[in-house]
Amino acid sequence: MLLAGKKVVVVGGSSGIGLATAELAKSEGADVVIASRNAERLKAAVEKLGVTAIPADVTSDDSVTQLFQKCGPVDHVVVTAAQLRSGPFKTVAMEDVRVTMEGKFWGAWRVARAAEIRAGGSLTLVSGFLSVRPRPNSAIVGAANGAIESLARSLALELAPVRVNCVSPGIIDTPIRAAMPEAARRDMLAKTAAALPVGRVGVGDDIARQILAFMTIGFASGSIVYIDGGALIS
């Protein structure tokens, strides 16, 4: 098993990409801790995977600090947590803009500062392809993603010999889209799939496999990998 004897913390691990990552890491022998501020989803994830769960809010300095005090030294940390709010640039509420940066960028920053990662271990951040393929009404999300990618490169130098990398997903069918009306969600996913070279949208496991690769490839650091079904070339 690739992660036997390793301790893995997935911040945002109660659903979507984070849950898929936690499941894959556990299947490879890791001792997995998942963290999320959603107590209900944490409970469900524990029942499904049999991992350790610690409530934590990435928008709180104290909460993130307490999370890693409880975890102690770890081998690999993954940050998938995000609270995304967006809208037309001229009219989107500044509160929504701040919430997006607080949860996505500053959350990752807090985790990177608080985690005690053993030498040779890894930190993997998750951005999103809007950083390089922007869309109308999503400027703040693209900006947050770009900041995450820049942070990963900087931390690969500052935190060495801990390895720091970033995965940038394209359109992924995860619960984060559950707020959309079901018909609209299905239509969006179908149109996206038809436009992609691979002919489908992504699922959490697609991204989890790349995250696992970053954990286990000891020569990978400062890398940004786009897993988007070919969106950037289509």
Side-chain angles (χ1 to χ4, degrees):
M1 290 186 175
L2 293 173
L3 295 173
K6 302 298 184 181
K7 189 169 187 177
V8 175
V9 180
V10 184
V11 183
S14 65
S15 66
I17 292 169
L19 181 62
T21 300
E23 185 171 15
L24 186 59
K26 188 173 189 300
S27 74
E28 290 293 342
D31 173 15
V32 178
V33 177
I34 59 173
S36 170
R37 68 176 189 168
N38 190 309
E40 185 176 330
R41 287 205 302 255
L42 270 181
K43 181 181 178 181
V46 169
E47 292 174 353
K48 178 182 179 182
L49 302 183
V51 297
T52 300
I54 301 176
D57 181 356
V58 297
T59 68
S60 164
D61 295 357
D62 289 344
S63 182
V64 174
T65 297
Q66 290 170 17
L67 165 64
F68 286 101
Q69 286 175 343
K70 293 174 182 176
C71 290
V74 301
D75 297 287
H76 304 286
V77 175
V78 182
V79 187
T80 66
Q83 301 168 46
L84 304 180
R85 299 181 188 176
S86 191
F89 177 75
K90 287 287 191 177
T91 58
V92 63
M94 287 305 299
E95 177 60 23
D96 288 341
V97 168
R98 293 187 183 98
V99 164
T100 296
M101 287 300 291
E102 194 66 46
K104 181 81 173 181
F105 178 74
W106 291 115
W109 182 288
R110 290 183 180 96
V111 170
R113 283 180 61 124
E116 183 182 349
I117 303 174
R118 296 185 179 102
S122 72
L123 169 65
T124 303
L125 307 181
V126 177
S127 60
F129 81 146
L130 288 177
S131 64
V132 291
R133 190 169 183 178
R135 293 182 175 183
N137 304 328
S138 299
I140 186 57
V141 179
N145 288 340
I148 287 284
E149 292 171 14
S150 181
L151 179 64
R153 292 188 181 99
S154 296
L155 294 183
L157 296 176
E158 290 218 32
L159 300 184
V162 171
R163 297 176 295 102
V164 184
N165 299 286
C166 182
V167 182
S168 179
I171 300 296
I172 309 297
D173 186 10
T174 68
I176 199 170
R177 303 186 185 281
M180 295 178 65
E182 181 62 14
R185 186 185 73 86
R186 288 183 178 275
D187 182 62
M188 183 275 290
L189 293 176
K191 288 179 178 177
T192 299
L196 291 174
V198 298
R200 68 173 177 87
V201 297
V203 294
D205 190 62
D206 293 319
I207 311 305
R209 290 183 179 280
Q210 179 57 51
I211 293 172
L212 189 80
F214 277 149
M215 292 183 197
T216 57
I217 298 174
F219 199 54
S221 194
S223 296
I224 314 296
V225 173
Y226 297 91
I227 307 292
D228 59 14
L232 294 181
I233 59 170
S234 61

